[in-house]
Amino acid sequence: MLGKIVTVTVDRPLGTYHPNHKDIYYPINYGYIEGIIAPDGEEQDAYILGVDEPVEQFTGKVIAIIHRFNDVEEKWVVAPESQVFSKEEIWEQVKFQEQFFESEIRM
């Protein structure tokens, strides 16, 4: 999946809160990729980096996969094709949610 171009439908735009956990604020856009089913039975979740405003949909490149050791699903990291992020930069942007899991960033 790394390097693949995908379209993310955003259901938690930048600047919103998690619908069930009101203490989790989304500093980035977050959504899912229609038609790709993740191990949890839902559509594949994705973080969007490099987009600094709320969006409803975004097409970009999968630049990393966050593998969770203590969960059944992985999260994909999608960014504009022209942008590059280090593992540290990715972690800084996704730790608002990933801090609750034992995970690694695969690039």
Side-chain angles (χ1 to χ4, degrees):
M1 284 297 132
L2 286 173
K4 183 176 178 166
I5 303 300
V6 296
T7 298
V8 181
T9 299
V10 176
D11 58 357
R12 297 181 194 155
L14 181 152
T16 62
Y17 289 87
H18 190 285
N20 299 323
H21 305 282
K22 302 297 183 191
D23 57 329
I24 298 178
Y25 172 81
Y26 283 81
I28 58 176
N29 290 289
Y30 178 86
Y32 59 92
I33 299 158
E34 288 187 40
I36 298 179
I37 304 302
D40 66 353
E42 301 290 327
E43 290 175 303
Q44 178 63 53
D45 293 328
Y47 296 108
I48 300 171
L49 304 188
V51 178
D52 297 330
E53 61 186 23
V55 295
E56 293 180 8
Q57 198 171 61
F58 174 76
T59 299
K61 182 169 70 172
V62 178
I63 62 164
I65 296 172
I66 299 174
H67 175 73
R68 291 178 172 177
F69 295 103
N70 57 343
D71 195 8
V72 298
E73 62 180 319
E74 296 180 326
K75 304 293 184 179
W76 293 2
V77 181
V78 179
E81 290 185 67
S82 62
Q83 292 190 1
V84 177
F85 294 88
S86 68
K87 284 184 180 182
E88 293 78 18
E89 290 170 322
I90 292 170
W91 176 253
E92 281 302 311
Q93 294 193 49
V94 302
K95 71 179 180 183
F96 73 95
Q97 185 164 263
E98 292 304 317
Q99 65 184 326
F100 302 110
F101 300 92
E102 181 184 337
S103 60
E104 71 178 4
I105 298 171
R106 297 179 178 171
M107 299 178 75

